[in-house]
Amino acid sequence: MDDMSCEPSCDDAVRGCGESHIDEKIACLIGLQIRSPFYQVETGLMALLKNCLELEAGNSTSILSGYVDHFQSIESEDVGWGCGWRNIQMLSSHLLMQRQEAREVLFGGSGFVPEIASLQRWLEIAWERGFDALGSDHFNCKIYGSRNWIGATECAALFRSFGLRARIVDFGPKELESLCLSVPGSSLGAQISKINDRGKRKVVQVYGPMDKYILGRHYDAPLAGSRGDENSRYSSMQLGNNLGGGSGDNVLNKCARKNKGSEVLVHWVWNYFSDESLSKSGHHRVAVSEKPPLYFQHDGHSRTVVGVQVKHQQNGTQQFSLLILDPAHRTAALKTSLKENDGWQKLIKRGVHTLKKPQYQLCYIDPGIASEGEMELLKRIDSIFLEF
């Protein structure tokens, strides 16, 4: 990963500013942050996807986010660890393009998506301001220049620090509900011992159901897991009412269920995108939602959900698919497959049958900018738990 331009000057400014001088740190970062390079698709990747969905055979209805740029992981920079940052960049590209209020506050009003190094600086500032204190402790308050994995809660903390209402939803089996702070008497804070590179035993805290995945791979940089129960428009939604047309531990071994629990997730996603503001856009089979994409986290990887499709079968059943952009895919390959209308389904569609992980986590962003009083409440990252 390349360093920020004029980094010594920025380091001097950051080191010279105490907790009471966060404004100076922000001013420094605004001046030195760098626009992230990405493969720009003429007419836009989402426009190409919309066209392909309209041409599909069969009786289907699709809903898409209006605009998203694809940010791929780069071999020489972030392959193997940067997917979380790339998904934040994808969400940011939508917010900057389609939400004026977000454009004014994100990244100091710069109007562009910063590179990973700059995003790491912004997350450190969010932590210093008190956003996601538990997650900050996981990383010892430092993330800049590291290859530590991040997850949905870091995404939420970063966007919340700008006043955006980022929310977390956890999907998992009943057995793991006790790991969420929303449940009285939860078992949060359980300690896990890991052997580090120097043969020393390190004790780390587990704060939520997603933590064990990061601990199993990069135990020196655990993912800040979901924490708590947040009052959200989607927490008590009746699923499906808008359809219109290898961890090895005992708990996870119990998750080999025959029921289609993953349908809970795809129905939630459908309801998320199909709200009252939904507008048909040029074709009755494809609609464009005002909703931003979703940060989609699971064991070992994260992706961006940019839409959802339901196919209406002749027997009356409905077949759902998530429409995703994966940082691991090459943007040029995505563009080619969409322009030629050939093979894009394998890259972008994910049916219910592919959702085989025992747990998933989503981050979504509600409209508007938080007031000063609400900002204090947003500093604690909570989640909604839905049985999967």
Side-chain angles (χ1 to χ4, degrees):
M1 180 177 58
D2 295 334
D3 287 342
M4 294 169 59
S5 297
C6 305
E7 187 55 40
S9 298
C10 190
D11 271 342
D12 291 343
V14 170
R15 281 195 296 264
C17 296
E19 291 185 4
S20 61
H21 296 88
I22 295 178
D23 288 345
E24 284 87 343
K25 292 185 179 182
I26 292 174
C28 170
L29 183 51
I30 291 172
L32 294 177
Q33 65 184 340
I34 297 174
R35 182 191 300 265
S36 180
F38 68 98
Y39 187 106
Q40 227 164 352
V41 177
E42 188 178 357
T43 73
L45 201 65
M46 296 299 290
L48 294 177
L49 174 57
K50 179 176 176 291
N51 183 61
C52 287
L53 290 167
E54 290 172 347
L55 295 173
E56 271 195 308
N59 183 14
S60 67
T61 304
S62 303
I63 313 175
L64 293 175
S65 286
Y67 182 93
V68 188
D69 287 319
H70 179 254
F71 286 78
Q72 70 177 55
S73 289
I74 299 172
E75 184 68 36
S76 61
E77 295 182 15
D78 66 294
V79 166
W81 61 270
C83 58
W85 299 107
R86 296 305 184 185
N87 291 312
I88 288 174
Q89 289 177 325
M90 285 192 248
L91 266 67
S92 298
S93 72
H94 172 93
L95 295 167
L96 291 171
M97 178 64 70
Q98 298 207 200
R99 287 196 181 179
Q100 179 60 32
E101 75 277 13
R103 186 179 179 88
E104 292 173 0
V105 298
L106 276 175
F107 316 122
S110 65
F112 60 77
V113 178
E115 63 167 4
I116 291 178
S118 302
L119 291 177
Q120 289 178 328
R121 287 292 200 200
W122 282 115
L123 182 56
E124 287 185 348
I125 288 174
W127 285 340
E128 187 171 352
R129 293 173 60 197
F131 289 89
D132 192 19
L134 293 177
S136 174
D137 289 344
H138 274 311
F139 295 96
N140 295 320
C141 306
K142 298 293 181 183
I143 194 74
Y144 172 77
S146 77
R147 297 188 175 189
N148 291 335
W149 293 9
I150 63 164
T153 47
E154 283 70 50
C155 173
L158 180 63
F159 283 120
R160 285 183 176 204
S161 70
F162 296 109
L164 300 184
R165 299 181 174 109
R167 318 289 189 187
I168 300 289
V169 186
D170 278 300
F171 298 85
K174 187 70 174 178
E175 297 93 328
L176 296 177
E177 185 177 7
S178 62
L179 291 176
C180 289
L181 279 175
S182 57
V183 181
S186 68
S187 56
L188 288 177
Q191 293 184 334
I192 291 181
S193 296
K194 293 286 179 181
I195 306 299
N196 65 19
D197 294 341
R198 294 179 289 278
K200 295 181 180 180
R201 186 172 296 275
K202 181 174 182 177
V203 178
V204 293
Q205 294 289 114
V206 178
Y207 288 104
M210 296 300 295
D211 277 12
K212 63 171 64 64
Y213 297 135
I214 300 302
L215 292 174
R217 305 174 192 273
H218 295 284
Y219 47 81
D220 283 328
L223 171 67
S226 61
R227 296 179 282 277
D229 184 13
E230 195 152 58
N231 184 16
S232 166
R233 295 184 291 160
Y234 306 104
S235 59
S236 58
M237 178 189 299
Q238 282 194 327
L239 300 176
N241 60 354
N242 290 326
L243 297 187
S247 174
D249 62 76
N250 292 333
V251 173
L252 295 186
N253 286 338
K254 294 179 182 179
C255 298
R257 310 174 299 287
K258 293 184 179 180
N259 66 334
K260 297 181 179 179
S262 54
E263 289 185 355
V264 173
L265 189 153
V266 293
H267 287 175
W268 188 97
V269 173
W270 178 273
N271 282 321
Y272 168 80
F273 282 111
S274 59
D275 64 353
E276 293 180 359
S277 64
L278 190 65
S279 61
K280 300 291 183 179
S281 180
H283 198 288
H284 70 280
R285 290 160 49 87
V286 182
V288 177
S289 173
E290 294 181 0
K291 294 296 184 63
L294 298 163
Y295 186 113
F296 182 40
Q297 178 77 47
H298 56 81
D299 177 8
H301 194 40
S302 61
R303 295 169 287 176
T304 298
V305 178
V306 296
V308 62
Q309 181 186 67
V310 59
K311 284 193 172 183
H312 311 287
Q313 308 295 320
Q314 290 184 350
N315 61 6
T317 62
Q318 295 168 321
Q319 179 183 343
F320 287 90
S321 295
L322 300 180
L323 304 174
I324 63 99
L325 293 180
D326 192 331
H329 292 156
R330 292 174 57 246
T331 311
L334 286 170
K335 182 192 76 169
T336 299
S337 65
L338 289 168
K339 287 191 74 172
E340 298 177 358
N341 196 14
D342 181 25
W344 62 269
Q345 294 92 338
K346 292 182 180 179
L347 297 173
I348 292 175
K349 281 193 181 184
R350 293 296 179 269
V352 172
H353 66 284
T354 69
L355 302 176
K356 298 179 180 179
K357 300 293 185 180
Q359 298 161 250
Y360 292 92
Q361 197 170 58
L362 293 174
C363 178
Y364 66 92
I365 300 176
D366 272 336
I369 302 297
S371 64
E372 185 175 346
E374 187 181 352
M375 287 287 281
E376 287 301 311
L377 298 176
L378 290 176
K379 288 183 176 180
R380 181 186 177 193
I381 309 296
D382 297 333
S383 82
I384 306 145
F385 180 87
L386 294 180
E387 187 175 349
F388 187 76

